[in-house]
Amino acid sequence: MQFDLPLQTLYAASLLGGAAFALSGFLTGVRKGLDLMGIFILSFLTANGGGVIRDILVGRPVALVHEAEPFLITSGVVLLALTLKLHKLPQLEQRLGFVVSDAVGLAAFGLSGALVGLEVQAQFFGVLALSLLTAAGGGILRDLLVNEVPELLHGGFYGSVALLQGAAIFGLHAAQSLNTATLLAAFCAALALRLIAYRGKWRLPKPAKPAE
Amino acid sequence: MQFDLPLQTLYAASLLGGAAFALSGFLTGVRKGLDLMGIFILSFLTANGGGVIRDILVGRPVALVHEAEPFLITSGVVLLALTLKLHKLPQLEQRLGFVVSDAVGLAAFGLSGALVGLEVQAQFFGVLALSLLTAAGGGILRDLLVNEVPELLHGGFYGSVALLQGAAIFGLHAAQSLNTATLLAAFCAALALRLIAYRGKWRLPKPAKPAE
Amino acid sequence: MQFDLPLQTLYAASLLGGAAFALSGFLTGVRKGLDLMGIFILSFLTANGGGVIRDILVGRPVALVHEAEPFLITSGVVLLALTLKLHKLPQLEQRLGFVVSDAVGLAAFGLSGALVGLEVQAQFFGVLALSLLTAAGGGILRDLLVNEVPELLHGGFYGSVALLQGAAIFGLHAAQSLNTATLLAAFCAALALRLIAYRGKWRLPKPAKPAE
């Protein structure tokens, strides 16, 4: 089975999502007092770290080494953000445009991770893990580099979307129903779920900490 | 030379050890205020991160992508721990059952790392590094994710056990004496050494910090 | 094209640089209160982490697994530093000998990363990234392990040297002018640039943090 067509269809989504991730890295970098190179690196890692982790885990050459595009997109985002002084805007990360773009990235990257998992014939949990790490790996690296506990681990209904999407894609594939239409449906469902969860401030429960 | 037989013999040990590592990740996650997904991820990484690092370093496909078992074990541990509210038990990590299971994991994982090193014909220090990282890599990732300096780097006679075991297995192999019996002996010696070190609170010396 | 000759010519530089990186890891480890094994691990990772990241990114076997030399050099540096109590020397990292050795490492490692990038036919930005990560990846891992924001991201004109050197080597290769002489020139230029930048306390600009 070839995934070329849906992947091309979803290509624009991954570009928009990558730009949102890059912007999130930019804003974190400015907030943490990094210099221009540090900000660029953080921005780039946030946008592309998930894909690098995915490629390393499945043992194929890291796509990034051979593709100029991600570097150009990150550079564009950073230059634009600096020019427009986006870091001066209060609460940019809560604005609708950012939230939607970020959710588009989550859905597009998670989908790409799940498809790579199917390509290497990963088992069910492997597909879920690849979906999660491709979507959220960049954010994990961003938080690790600036010494914060990754938001993914405590912050809301975000990674869960990637896990559910991975499960759906695995199921569709097992039922031999994976095609352009169902892939796009999985993408839209993940996007909608993330936006609903964001709106409703969904959170996963946390067990009570023990008394020390 | 085939290591299949001893590896099967030591299989139960790695399961028990993996469960202990997963429990340690669970407890750390609860303590750090992570949500359920964060706790599961931390638990999973603690149990399996060492093996992932090992596979990446020797350039072979990451076993985890294709094996459902580790995910099922971690899920079982997390569900059981939540049901039994194990995080409410004071000082669980100092109880005999936990300490022994963790030491079993150290010995079993270290041994697996050393054997993979021999398979890829690593040199002496490479075998030691693989033994250490397979045994302790999961704990390092756990500590990094929650922003603590890895306990391995300052905490006691733990990684040293993996290094000594790696050296022993390299020596046995060089002396063409590696077989089921000697492998099991190396496993038992590492286990005993760790328990003695724990009991005796062995510590490696620390150079005095310079006056700032 | 074969790079064997220049690589051999630059071999001594990478040894000296590796020793400087190892010493930097040693000093950080002592300052952070690590024990002897932790100090050795930190020292080793600082010296060799960049090369490991490089090898993983281009998907080739990690050289370290098969080479005893890096382990011997780190061991030598750590033993020597302990014997001479180098950590008692005030501001060792600002002394001329250390600064020059570290700059030699930056130039030699960055060059090695760029050459590996050319070998795997990476595109322009891929060569730059490999140059940067090979030169500075060890320092990044060092800082992450002891919970500090990597100095590379905010600390001065350091990574920029590797990026410029990578660009120069890519350009030389594109112009079919890469040979022993030009490689050595690129090495010397990077070394000189780093020393001038250090002397002049060059810094990249930092955008003003937003008012919270």
Side-chain angles (χ1 to χ4, degrees):
Chain A
M1 194 184 311
Q2 287 300 92
F3 299 117
D4 291 352
L5 187 60
L7 279 180
Q8 280 174 354
T9 317
L10 290 160
Y11 183 62
S14 76
L15 291 191
L16 177 61
F21 287 10
L23 183 57
S24 139
F26 169 84
L27 295 172
T28 302
V30 173
R31 230 179 264 132
K32 291 283 175 176
L34 305 188
D35 65 23
L36 282 186
M37 197 187 64
I39 288 171
F40 183 86
I41 292 176
L42 203 65
S43 185
F44 183 76
L45 259 186
T46 310
N48 299 291
V52 170
I53 293 175
R54 176 200 64 203
D55 291 343
I56 291 174
L57 284 179
V58 302
R60 63 184 206 180
V62 174
L64 215 61
V65 172
H66 301 287
E67 291 171 3
E69 215 164 57
F71 293 88
L72 296 174
I73 291 173
T74 302
S75 305
V77 168
V78 171
L79 290 177
L80 202 70
L82 283 171
T83 310
L84 302 179
K85 294 193 191 303
L86 292 185
H87 50 288
K88 301 280 189 187
L89 296 181
Q91 309 210 296
L92 176 57
E93 280 140 317
Q94 271 85 55
R95 295 195 186 196
L96 187 65
F98 181 86
V99 169
V100 171
S101 304
D102 183 81
V104 165
L106 171 62
F109 283 44
L111 193 139
S112 129
L115 290 181
V116 168
L118 293 181
E119 272 175 40
V120 301
Q121 304 188 288
Q123 40 78 35
F124 176 68
F125 295 104
V127 170
L128 262 60
L130 285 166
S131 182
L132 175 68
L133 286 170
T134 308
I140 294 176
L141 291 178
R142 175 199 65 204
D143 294 342
L144 284 183
L145 276 177
V146 299
N147 281 331
E148 298 202 343
V149 176
E151 210 187 334
L152 177 80
L153 301 180
H154 58 88
F157 201 81
Y158 192 90
S160 309
V161 174
L163 292 176
L164 290 171
Q165 192 191 29
I169 290 173
F170 187 88
L172 286 171
H173 182 256
Q176 301 193 305
S177 310
L178 202 56
N179 54 47
T180 312
T182 55
L183 263 185
L184 283 172
F187 170 78
C188 293
L191 176 56
L193 181 60
R194 170 60 191 152
L195 291 175
I196 292 168
Y198 181 83
R199 196 104 233 241
K201 304 193 187 207
W202 292 10
R203 304 213 154 251
L204 292 175
K206 300 181 181 183
K209 292 190 200 183
E212 299 275 338
Chain B
M1 190 184 314
Q2 288 300 92
F3 299 117
D4 292 352
L5 188 60
L7 278 180
Q8 279 173 354
T9 317
L10 289 161
Y11 183 61
S14 76
L15 291 191
L16 178 61
F21 286 11
L23 184 57
S24 138
F26 168 85
L27 295 171
T28 302
V30 173
R31 233 179 261 132
K32 290 284 175 175
L34 306 189
D35 66 23
L36 283 186
M37 197 187 65
I39 289 170
F40 182 86
I41 292 176
L42 203 66
S43 185
F44 184 75
L45 259 187
T46 310
N48 299 291
V52 170
I53 293 175
R54 176 200 63 203
D55 291 343
I56 291 174
L57 284 179
V58 302
R60 62 184 207 181
V62 173
L64 215 60
V65 171
H66 300 288
E67 289 170 3
E69 216 164 54
F71 294 86
L72 295 173
I73 291 173
T74 302
S75 306
V77 167
V78 171
L79 289 178
L80 202 70
L82 282 171
T83 311
L84 302 179
K85 294 192 190 301
L86 291 185
H87 49 289
K88 302 280 189 186
L89 295 180
Q91 309 212 298
L92 177 57
E93 280 141 316
Q94 271 85 57
R95 296 197 185 192
L96 188 63
F98 181 87
V99 170
V100 171
S101 304
D102 183 81
V104 165
L106 171 62
F109 283 44
L111 193 139
S112 129
L115 290 181
V116 168
L118 293 180
E119 272 174 40
V120 301
Q121 303 188 288
Q123 40 79 33
F124 177 68
F125 295 104
V127 170
L128 261 59
L130 284 166
S131 181
L132 176 68
L133 285 171
T134 308
I140 293 176
L141 291 178
R142 176 198 63 205
D143 294 342
L144 284 184
L145 276 176
V146 298
N147 283 330
E148 297 201 346
V149 177
E151 210 187 333
L152 177 81
L153 301 180
H154 59 89
F157 202 81
Y158 192 90
S160 309
V161 173
L163 292 175
L164 291 171
Q165 192 192 28
I169 289 173
F170 187 89
L172 286 170
H173 182 256
Q176 300 193 305
S177 308
L178 201 57
N179 53 46
T180 312
T182 55
L183 263 186
L184 282 172
F187 170 78
C188 294
L191 176 58
L193 181 60
R194 171 59 192 152
L195 291 175
I196 292 168
Y198 181 83
R199 195 103 231 246
K201 304 191 189 206
W202 292 9
R203 305 214 154 249
L204 292 176
K206 299 182 182 183
K209 292 190 201 185
E212 299 276 338
Chain C
M1 191 185 312
Q2 287 300 92
F3 299 117
D4 292 353
L5 188 61
L7 279 181
Q8 278 174 356
T9 318
L10 290 161
Y11 183 62
S14 76
L15 291 190
L16 177 61
F21 287 10
L23 183 56
S24 139
F26 169 84
L27 295 172
T28 301
V30 173
R31 234 180 259 134
K32 290 284 175 174
L34 305 188
D35 66 23
L36 282 186
M37 198 188 62
I39 288 170
F40 182 86
I41 291 176
L42 203 66
S43 185
F44 184 76
L45 259 187
T46 309
N48 300 291
V52 170
I53 292 175
R54 177 199 62 204
D55 291 343
I56 290 174
L57 284 179
V58 302
R60 61 185 210 182
V62 173
L64 214 63
V65 171
H66 301 287
E67 289 171 3
E69 216 165 54
F71 294 86
L72 295 173
I73 291 173
T74 302
S75 305
V77 167
V78 171
L79 290 177
L80 202 71
L82 283 171
T83 311
L84 301 179
K85 293 190 193 303
L86 291 186
H87 49 289
K88 302 280 192 188
L89 296 181
Q91 309 210 295
L92 176 57
E93 279 140 317
Q94 271 84 56
R95 296 196 184 193
L96 187 64
F98 181 87
V99 169
V100 172
S101 305
D102 182 80
V104 165
L106 171 62
F109 283 44
L111 193 139
S112 129
L115 290 181
V116 168
L118 293 180
E119 272 175 39
V120 300
Q121 303 188 286
Q123 40 78 34
F124 177 68
F125 296 104
V127 170
L128 262 60
L130 285 166
S131 182
L132 176 68
L133 286 171
T134 309
I140 293 176
L141 292 179
R142 175 200 63 205
D143 294 343
L144 282 184
L145 276 176
V146 299
N147 282 331
E148 299 200 345
V149 177
E151 210 186 335
L152 176 79
L153 301 180
H154 58 89
F157 202 81
Y158 192 90
S160 309
V161 173
L163 292 176
L164 290 172
Q165 192 192 29
I169 290 173
F170 187 89
L172 286 170
H173 182 255
Q176 301 195 305
S177 308
L178 201 57
N179 54 46
T180 312
T182 55
L183 263 185
L184 283 172
F187 171 79
C188 293
L191 176 57
L193 180 60
R194 170 60 192 153
L195 291 175
I196 292 168
Y198 181 83
R199 195 103 232 243
K201 302 191 191 210
W202 292 10
R203 305 214 154 249
L204 292 176
K206 299 182 183 184
K209 292 191 201 184
E212 300 275 343

